[in-house]
Amino acid sequence: MEILGASLRICVDDLDTAIPFYERLCGGRAQRFERGGVQVAAVGSFLLMSGPEEELEVLRKVTATIAVKDVDAAHRLLDELGAHVLAGPVPTPAGRNLLAMHPDGSLFEYVDQHPA
């Protein structure tokens, strides 16, 4: 499995208010999408999320989003290492993802950019 990078997950009250700060901080434009009623903006190494509290409560439990070359390869390695894949791989607006609990109990989202 090749890890390409990681994104920090930040829940915000108002995405439109938060985006300009992070665009200036990172020197780039936000890429916006919606998933399950949650509005998301990817800016540099940050994933800003805003939406219903019941959805955000679940998202706050995920430590980080890990970009990988291939989610299937990540799935195989996570299985071998004793992690528990809770969901996925499933298609997303940007590719595919899975949610895994590591043996220490931490939760991570793994994503690739391969269309399903």
Side-chain angles (χ1 to χ4, degrees):
M1 172 180 73
E2 183 177 345
I3 294 177
L4 305 174
S7 296
L8 303 170
R9 302 163 65 91
I10 302 170
C11 296
V12 299
D13 292 330
D14 184 341
L15 202 58
D16 292 326
T17 301
I19 286 174
F21 172 84
Y22 286 94
E23 285 181 333
R24 290 283 312 270
L25 181 67
C26 297
R29 302 284 298 158
Q31 296 178 1
R32 295 181 70 150
F33 58 93
E34 181 179 343
R35 179 127 190 234
V38 174
Q39 298 293 316
V40 180
V43 188
S45 293
F46 299 96
L47 283 178
L48 309 175
M49 299 174 284
S50 184
E53 185 55 38
E54 58 273 8
E55 296 290 330
L56 294 179
E57 183 179 336
V58 173
L59 295 172
R60 283 187 182 102
K61 295 177 182 177
V62 178
T63 303
T65 297
I66 308 296
V68 295
K69 189 171 184 177
D70 184 339
V71 163
D72 294 323
H75 191 182
R76 287 189 297 274
L77 182 58
L78 288 162
D79 281 344
E80 288 174 24
L81 295 173
H84 180 64
V85 175
L86 302 172
V90 296
T92 72
R96 299 174 304 152
N97 78 344
L98 65 78
L99 185 63
M101 180 181 288
H102 291 187
D104 63 11
S106 57
L107 294 174
F108 287 90
E109 176 188 33
Y110 289 82
V111 300
D112 67 21
Q113 295 188 359
H114 299 283

